[in-house]
Amino acid sequence: MQRTLLITGGAGFIGSHVVRLFVNKYPDYRIVNLDALTYAGNLENLADVKDKPNYTFEKGDITDEAFVDQLFTSYQFDGVIHLAAESHVDRSIMDPLAFIRTNVLGTAVLLNACRKYWQDSMEGKLFYHVSTDEVYGTLGAEGFFTEETPYDPRSPYSASKASSDHLVMAYHHTYHLPVIISNCSNNYGSHHFPEKLIPLAIRNIRQNKPVPVYGKGENVRDWLWVEDHARAIDTIFHKGRTGETYNIGGFNEWKNIDLINLLCMIMDKKLGRAPGTSAQLITFVKDRAGHDLRYAIDATKLNKELGWQPSLQFEEGLEKTVDWYLANEEWLQHVTSGAYQQYYEEQYQKR
Ligand SMILES: NC(=O)c1ccc[n+]([C@@H]2O[C@H](COP(=O)([O-])OP(=O)(O)OC[C@H]3O[C@@H](n4cnc5c(N)ncnc54)[C@H](O)[C@@H]3O)[C@@H](O)[C@H]2O)c1
């Protein structure tokens, strides 16, 4: 094997797309997926690559220093792509400490392991940290987040991600650890846990249940197809400059209510319902505490320096996403029924 890479959080939404891309595109890389399989981790996301010779799964917690050390000793990693995190803002409002533990402490444990195991030679090594545009705070009606925008996180989730970004840069400046950070906008696509806006709406529309929309649906997000994010990570991992931050975005801003209306139109078409039927399910609910008004990414640096750009128009990506959810009822059912959790417990008792 040419390189051995550790990908953390590979059983989650974005992580599973990154693992799939790397395992298929780089048969001479050994890809080790470390994931604790929290409620958000699902090995069914990787059913199509699980038997590939260059893929290994390790169940474990990134905050477990002894376990992470043992993994670094066994595999002698050349690089880390770090995605494992608690990722849902609403959950961070209910239980901030879980976010501090995984997102801050977990990142520090990984950085420390890299520092220790790479101290003799940092040549060819890279710690790639996958982060979010939410670290920049919120925008008014105008402007974009650039790599120079000062951090201003406003939820426990974004504050924990901002803290981890600062730790990554601190290890770079203090210990010369080769690092790169990317900050990405909201992702959508297949294998997305149905607590997030788009998969939740698809599921509820399908089941004729109310589709909750916070406040008046005025919040604006910049949406990127998850496979384009995975491609951007691949590009930055191989061609990015160490010590740099790259913003990743879709140049694709949507008000939540406009997005949900578009989704309702697509669902009416796919389900053979009369136009306007699904939109009747839209239900405005009490706004999220501290809800950021607008996020919008300026991804010019990534485009100019490394030639990356999104491959799909939003309407096309959304249709693909709806098609995937309608064709994968079983996946959705397992995720929501908790049946897959039971599967893991049975599976891992045997090992
Ligand atoms: N979803 C987005 O729109 C988005 C946008 C920008 C950045 N990000 C970042 O991308 C990364 C992945 O996001 P996602 O949406 O795929 O998240 P996700 O919640 O779907 O997946 C997270 C994965 O991490 C694993 N995990 C959680 N705690 C762990 C621990 N302590 N040890 C090991 N594994 C653990 C989970 O089991 C899960 O498989 C996160 O770092 C997130 O901050 C997400």
Side-chain angles (χ1 to χ4, degrees):
M1 289 286 167
Q2 199 189 73
R3 285 174 110 173
T4 302
L5 303 186
L6 173 65
I7 299 185
T8 70
F13 167 47
I14 301 170
S16 62
H17 286 279
V18 175
V19 166
R20 180 174 302 103
L21 177 68
F22 273 70
V23 166
N24 288 327
K25 187 169 173 187
Y26 303 107
D28 53 354
Y29 287 8
R30 173 188 284 195
I31 305 297
V32 179
N33 171 15
L34 164 60
D35 198 297
L37 299 179
T38 67
Y39 79 95
N42 181 358
L43 288 181
E44 282 181 37
N45 294 353
L46 291 166
D48 54 332
V49 296
K50 74 176 179 15
D51 296 325
K52 298 265 177 169
N54 62 334
Y55 172 72
T56 309
F57 174 68
E58 291 281 354
K59 182 174 187 289
D61 191 320
I62 56 166
T63 65
D64 182 344
E65 210 179 333
F67 178 76
V68 169
D69 264 8
Q70 180 214 313
L71 223 55
F72 270 75
T73 308
S74 309
Y75 289 104
Q76 309 276 310
F77 298 116
D78 303 297
V80 176
I81 303 180
H82 175 37
L83 296 109
E86 289 290 343
S87 70
H88 191 37
V89 175
D90 290 341
R91 286 181 188 256
S92 84
I93 295 168
M94 284 187 290
D95 182 11
L97 290 188
F99 284 67
I100 309 301
R101 188 174 159 276
T102 288
N103 299 0
V104 185
L105 179 63
T107 303
V109 167
L110 291 168
L111 286 165
N112 241 12
C114 292
R115 178 188 159 216
K116 186 163 141 191
Y117 285 89
W118 297 347
Q119 65 185 348
D120 290 341
S121 169
M122 303 263 184
E123 189 65 36
K125 309 288 197 295
L126 182 62
F127 184 92
Y128 182 133
H129 181 58
V130 176
S131 192
T132 167
D133 61 351
E134 299 189 29
V135 298
Y136 298 124
T138 186
L139 290 166
E142 301 282 310
F144 295 91
F145 297 134
T146 73
E147 289 80 1
E148 313 305 323
T149 303
Y151 276 27
D152 183 21
R154 296 151 54 95
S155 74
Y157 165 65
S158 52
S160 68
K161 291 297 291 189
S163 308
S164 63
D165 291 10
H166 289 317
L167 278 169
V168 171
M169 281 305 169
Y171 272 68
H172 176 64
H173 292 298
T174 310
Y175 306 112
H176 309 292
L177 199 72
V179 305
I180 295 183
I181 298 177
S182 60
N183 297 86
C184 187
S185 61
N186 280 37
N187 285 213
Y188 71 96
S190 68
H191 304 91
H192 204 181
F193 197 82
E195 64 185 357
K196 304 273 172 85
L197 182 68
I198 292 179
L200 182 90
I202 294 174
R203 175 170 172 251
N204 287 13
I205 294 169
R206 174 92 175 93
Q207 298 177 353
N208 266 313
K209 289 186 178 157
V211 178
V213 174
Y214 282 131
K216 294 181 183 153
E218 295 288 318
N219 304 72
V220 177
R221 299 292 180 263
D222 173 359
W223 291 93
L224 178 68
W225 190 41
V226 64
E227 293 187 33
D228 280 334
H229 187 189
R231 277 181 40 250
I233 289 173
D234 176 24
T235 302
I236 295 168
F237 182 80
H238 288 98
K239 297 191 198 151
R241 286 180 293 136
T242 55
E244 292 289 319
T245 287
Y246 294 88
N247 281 354
I248 311 172
F251 301 103
N252 178 44
E253 288 182 53
W254 284 78
K255 264 190 197 168
N256 284 349
I257 188 61
D258 295 341
L259 184 161
I260 294 297
N261 273 317
L262 173 63
L263 199 55
C264 286
M265 274 167 53
I266 296 174
M267 291 292 282
D268 282 344
K269 194 171 77 180
K270 301 278 174 193
L271 298 173
R273 293 179 181 168
T277 310
S278 300
Q280 288 168 17
L281 297 167
I282 295 173
T283 308
F284 294 103
V285 297
K286 186 169 176 280
D287 208 355
R288 168 191 280 167
H291 204 172
D292 293 339
L293 177 69
R294 176 171 168 258
Y295 305 142
I297 276 275
D298 179 350
T300 308
K301 175 177 173 183
L302 175 58
N303 178 254
K304 287 240 162 76
E305 220 177 85
L306 306 181
W308 174 91
Q309 59 183 18
S311 70
L312 274 192
Q313 292 296 317
F314 188 52
E315 286 80 351
E316 191 187 347
L318 209 52
E319 278 215 41
K320 265 177 182 280
T321 305
V322 168
D323 287 341
W324 187 86
Y325 278 95
L326 294 181
N328 287 278
E329 281 273 325
E330 207 181 336
W331 180 93
L332 202 56
Q333 226 173 27
H334 286 184
V335 172
T336 43
S337 70
Y340 75 100
Q341 295 281 14
Q342 193 186 336
Y343 159 79
Y344 296 138
E345 276 160 27
E346 286 167 14
Q347 177 75 8
Y348 290 104
Q349 264 174 11
K350 285 186 216 141
R351 293 180 97 198

